[in-house]
Amino acid sequence: MLFRVFVLIQLLAIFLFTACDVDKTGETNKKQSSLAAKSISNIASDLPLIKAETAKIVQNEKNPIDHALSLVGLKRSQLSRPLYHEEGYRMMCRIPLIDQVSKSPFYLHYWADETSSKMQKAAEKGLYHALAVMAKTINGGVNYEVTDSTRTFEGNFAKAYHCLCKKHGTKPNYSIVETIENAGLSPLFDKHLALLVFSLSEASFMAKQAFSRLTKTELSFLSDRPERFFFPNDNQFNFLTAPTHVQEKVVSITRKIDFVKLLRSALLISKATDRFLDYLRSLDNSENPAHYFRDGMKRTGLLMDLPSPIGRIVVLGQNDDVYAGNGALVIDLGGDDRYTGPIAVGHLVPGRVAIAIDITGNDIYDAGKKPFSQGCGCLGVGILVDISGDDKYLAGDMAQGCGIYGIGLLTDLGGKDTYTMGLMGQGFGVFGLGLLLDTNGDDRYVITGLGQGTGSTMGYGCLCDLSGNDKYLANRNTRRGHLIPDEWCHVQGSGLSIRSPDWIKRFSLYGGIGLLTDKTGNDLYFASDGNCMGSSYFMSIGSLVDHEGNDIYIPKNGYGLCYAVHLSNAILIDRKGNDLYFGGTHTGGVASDRSIAIFVDYSGDDTYGPSEEYVRKMIKTKADKEGHKLSEIKLKDRIQQKMADVSFASALKPKGLSF
């Protein structure tokens, strides 16, 4: 009898799988699951009925699927496909979470609250835990657990270097091995440096395997112009409605990348980096040279610059250094340093892994307007860690925690820091993961667009700040350079994608997941243009969660502050504080066609504006300063232009859901 029950369950599973016209990664809702569970739990007491129903299923040739579903309390209509089918879209690069929140709007609320808290707790533990949270979000059905390869390694730095060369198919230079042995490193520093190098070797080998199926031509197509996905033909980004031929080619190539291996590579090296950071934290005084050298004497300048098959291994001393390279491993022991090159960038060679760790000092990372720097993974993995000091980060495009066909992480663990860059960074991911993590200090984030926790197709971008009175600023109008953004900023917890102008005949693409999470502090969020502050455009998720503080939100030209359009999902949550929400049209929880917008403020004496009185005062003050008066009619026209219309829980077009 038990065998018959087992056969019936298998039969039901086959019928259900056939009826469900969704990807394997799609999930049924909680009601469906509970009904199914109830039916299975009662199966033992209904054996005679089961036997009879089994016979009916076999005999019912007309519609056995509907009959099988009825046994577990389901209808075929409940196994719904994503809403884009109603509009006739042909979609690719599906992310299961986007469909899940589209089907269950209030799950979006739960997900954003839960994920923000998880990310903050993980960030306090280390890089590995934060990256693991992101990996599970982008595809929870894949196991990304990694084996700690250092458990099998015993030896010093020289032996680790020897193993690295052998692992990657080159003969070790024994004169270099002798140089390492004569460097006078302290036993403990030598040991932890060896573990880091050994893990770097393993991670690099794994990352190279992730790209092994791509031809040289395909690798060149992705690496020569990685921004091509957004700028396929020229320097102008036209995301709203544009031909998708180039994007389709990008997708066909990226399908050959083994993203599971790439993520495992990043997790492996991030775990090793966390271990190295734990060692540094255990030191009573990280500036004491006795921790690093046997003779206890302070060393300055370039201490090591060793060639290796995966890139140079560099150790800098405890004075104020200037470094212009991009080593596979760069460790600076102290001083107010200046980095002028593409530091911590996995880009020069496909499958490259690059790490940079600066222990102390008020440092300047100045890449000028050059792209690819400061924790960028482009067909590779790039990790930059600055442990302490008031630091300045200046870069062009694709920097400061940017993952494009790769994984990029920037972590600053202390100090009042300033981050300034162009496009695609400060937590930006497309076909990859990008994370900017800052643990404390009053920080200033400045970007032109496409960043500060933004994700696009098959990507996840996150900016996580744990404390401090921070400023998040985005102004697309300041851009004067190679790549020009479209009319929106796409920043501060946003998602976006690209749709074909004739979507009935051409493919459109799922977007990604964007998250900006800020734990404490009185923060300012400003964006000159739309898709900002927990907003999303087309088949994406945009989320901003601020946990505590008296915060100010100013989407200057509107179309932000939790705005969702074209089958998209947007959420903004502010947990505590007396906050000011001030924006123009389409702002404050607005959902357009088949989209979801959820705007939540849990507590505090808040202001939702602008009010007519405020706008009148603002316009008159400006007119007085300019030395002219406005007629009452003209003043009313100006006021109407500045007022927030279609705002604060407005729903538009078919099936817009706004809360």
Side-chain angles (χ1 to χ4, degrees):
M1 185 61 70
L2 288 176
F3 176 75
R4 291 179 181 177
V5 172
F6 175 71
V7 170
L8 177 60
I9 292 173
Q10 282 191 317
L11 189 60
L12 288 173
I14 293 170
F15 286 146
L16 286 171
F17 180 81
T18 306
C20 187
D21 188 19
V22 295
D23 291 349
K24 293 180 180 179
T25 50
E27 295 183 20
T28 55
N29 59 34
K30 293 181 179 179
K31 182 179 179 181
Q32 296 168 357
S33 300
S34 62
L35 286 170
K38 183 178 178 181
S39 297
I40 299 300
S41 65
N42 294 334
I43 205 167
S45 61
D46 294 329
L47 293 180
L49 177 62
I50 289 170
K51 187 175 181 180
E53 293 294 345
T54 305
K56 289 181 182 179
I57 290 174
V58 175
Q59 294 171 5
N60 190 354
E61 296 179 359
K62 185 177 182 180
N63 201 335
I65 293 174
D66 287 344
H67 190 81
L69 289 171
S70 70
L71 295 179
V72 290
L74 296 177
K75 296 180 180 179
R76 191 190 292 248
S77 61
Q78 289 175 281
L79 302 177
S80 60
R81 297 185 296 179
L83 290 177
Y84 62 74
H85 284 278
E86 296 180 24
E87 290 289 273
Y89 281 103
R90 298 175 66 197
M91 301 295 297
M92 55 182 166
C93 299
R94 188 174 185 181
I95 296 180
L97 178 63
I98 295 176
D99 288 333
Q100 187 174 356
V101 300
S102 297
K103 290 180 181 180
S104 304
F106 290 110
Y107 182 72
L108 175 63
H109 184 189
Y110 166 80
W111 172 83
D113 241 345
E114 185 78 3
T115 301
S116 179
S117 297
K118 282 183 178 178
M119 178 58 71
Q120 290 176 358
K121 291 178 182 177
E124 291 173 348
K125 294 179 180 179
L127 271 178
Y128 171 81
H129 296 279
L131 186 58
V133 170
M134 295 183 71
K136 290 177 181 177
T137 299
I138 202 73
N139 190 354
V142 176
N143 178 19
Y144 297 111
E145 294 296 325
V146 294
T147 303
D148 189 353
S149 57
T150 58
R151 292 180 180 178
T152 62
F153 177 76
E154 294 182 2
N156 57 14
F157 179 31
K159 183 177 179 181
Y161 177 81
H162 184 279
C163 292
L164 185 156
C165 294
K166 191 174 181 180
K167 178 83 174 180
H168 292 268
T170 63
K171 293 183 178 180
N173 187 322
Y174 288 99
S175 64
I176 294 176
V177 173
E178 187 177 351
T179 300
I180 295 171
E181 292 175 341
N182 296 331
L185 302 180
S186 69
L188 197 57
F189 181 54
D190 184 279
K191 172 187 173 183
H192 285 280
L193 194 59
L195 293 174
L196 187 58
V197 169
F198 185 80
S199 295
L200 177 62
S201 173
E202 297 291 306
S204 297
F205 188 79
M206 195 180 298
K208 287 180 180 179
Q209 287 182 320
F211 296 93
S212 61
R213 294 172 56 199
L214 280 70
T215 66
K216 290 184 178 180
T217 303
E218 290 169 336
L219 289 170
S220 296
F221 182 82
L222 295 180
S223 62
D224 290 349
R225 284 189 57 217
E227 75 281 4
R228 192 195 310 262
F229 187 76
F230 298 103
F231 302 87
N233 302 313
D234 50 34
N235 298 339
Q236 183 68 43
F237 174 34
N238 181 16
F239 85 103
L240 285 169
T241 304
T244 56
H245 306 84
V246 173
Q247 287 81 9
E248 290 176 31
K249 184 175 180 180
V250 169
V251 171
S252 68
I253 295 173
T254 55
R255 285 176 65 86
K256 296 183 179 182
I257 300 174
D258 190 335
F259 282 104
V260 175
K261 281 187 178 178
L262 187 62
L263 274 164
R264 286 175 177 163
S265 168
L267 287 166
L268 175 63
I269 194 57
S270 62
K271 180 178 283 189
T273 303
D274 285 339
R275 186 191 302 110
F276 190 77
L277 295 177
D278 288 339
Y279 151 68
L280 294 173
R281 292 189 190 99
S282 70
L283 304 178
D284 54 1
N285 178 9
S286 61
E287 296 184 9
N288 185 353
H291 292 307
Y292 310 116
F293 306 105
R294 286 195 297 266
D295 58 10
M297 300 296 291
K298 183 178 180 179
R299 308 288 176 88
T300 61
L302 184 62
L303 306 183
M304 283 188 190
D305 188 0
L306 311 177
S308 85
I310 63 171
R312 306 194 77 83
I313 298 173
V314 178
V315 179
L316 301 168
Q318 294 177 293
N319 61 328
D320 302 341
D321 300 303
V322 177
Y323 181 71
N326 179 30
L329 175 62
V330 179
I331 296 178
D332 184 90
L333 301 180
D336 299 336
D337 308 303
R338 187 179 187 91
Y339 300 90
T340 60
I343 191 74
V345 175
H347 172 58
L348 301 179
V349 179
R352 177 182 170 85
V353 179
I355 317 167
I357 301 173
D358 189 289
I359 297 176
T360 63
N362 302 320
D363 307 305
I364 297 176
Y365 299 84
D366 186 359
K369 295 182 180 180
K370 297 177 182 178
F372 313 115
S373 62
Q374 302 161 17
C376 172
C378 179
L379 282 86
V381 180
I383 300 176
L384 172 58
V385 180
D386 191 292
I387 298 176
S388 65
D390 299 335
D391 308 305
K392 294 181 180 179
Y393 300 86
L394 178 64
D397 302 321
M398 293 167 279
Q400 298 176 7
C402 173
I404 300 184
Y405 324 118
I407 298 164
L409 311 176
L410 193 167
T411 303
D412 192 293
L413 302 178
K416 298 179 180 180
D417 309 305
T418 301
Y419 305 85
T420 305
M421 64 165 294
L423 300 176
M424 293 174 274
Q426 295 181 5
F428 178 81
V430 57
F431 297 98
L433 306 181
L435 170 65
L436 197 165
L437 170 60
D438 191 294
T439 60
N440 62 62
D442 299 338
D443 306 307
R444 180 183 175 93
Y445 304 90
V446 181
I447 197 169
T448 302
L450 292 168
Q452 296 181 349
T454 292
S456 189
T457 305
M458 296 303 294
Y460 186 1
C462 177
L463 195 165
C464 179
D465 190 293
L466 297 184
S467 68
N469 302 322
D470 308 306
K471 294 181 179 180
Y472 303 92
L473 310 173
N475 189 348
R476 61 171 289 276
N477 301 308
T478 61
R479 183 66 170 182
R480 298 290 184 273
H482 175 56
L483 304 178
I484 308 298
D486 68 300
E487 64 265 33
W488 283 359
C489 285
H490 311 288
V491 292
Q492 298 160 10
S494 75
L496 72 150
S497 185
I498 298 167
R499 63 172 182 163
S500 173
D502 187 357
W503 52 80
I504 303 300
K505 298 179 181 179
R506 301 296 307 177
F507 278 110
S508 295
L509 296 94
Y510 269 73
I513 301 167
L515 171 65
L516 194 162
T517 172
D518 188 291
K519 188 173 183 179
T520 63
N522 303 322
D523 308 308
L524 169 65
Y525 301 88
F526 171 86
S528 66
D529 297 275
N531 198 25
C532 58
M533 304 174 201
S535 295
S536 64
Y537 174 87
F538 193 64
M539 295 300 295
S540 302
I541 296 175
S543 53
L544 191 161
V545 184
D546 191 295
H547 288 243
E548 187 175 331
N550 303 323
D551 308 306
I552 300 173
Y553 302 84
I554 306 177
K556 183 180 178 183
N557 289 339
Y559 297 99
L561 195 62
C562 188
Y563 173 59
V565 60
H566 301 320
L567 302 99
S568 207
N569 311 275
I571 184 163
L572 187 150
I573 299 174
D574 191 293
R575 287 175 165 269
K576 291 182 180 180
N578 304 324
D579 308 305
L580 170 65
Y581 303 97
F582 190 102
T585 186
H586 291 69
T587 186
V590 177
S592 189
D593 52 318
R594 289 173 171 79
S595 296
I596 300 162
I598 302 178
F599 178 26
V600 185
D601 189 296
Y602 285 138
S603 65
D605 299 328
D606 309 305
T607 302
Y608 301 83
S611 66
E612 186 172 347
E613 293 78 11
Y614 178 90
V615 175
R616 176 181 290 271
K617 183 178 179 181
M618 179 182 66
I619 293 173
K620 290 192 72 174
T621 300
K622 184 177 180 181
D624 291 342
K625 286 182 178 180
E626 294 173 352
H628 62 271
K629 294 184 178 181
L630 296 172
S631 67
E632 190 62 28
I633 295 176
K634 199 167 186 179
L635 181 60
K636 286 184 177 180
D637 288 341
R638 292 277 187 91
I639 291 172
Q640 191 61 39
Q641 292 172 10
K642 296 290 184 181
M643 289 297 288
D645 62 332
V646 195
S647 298
F648 300 108
S650 296
L652 305 171
K653 296 184 180 180
K655 297 188 178 181
L657 299 175
S658 184
F659 305 93

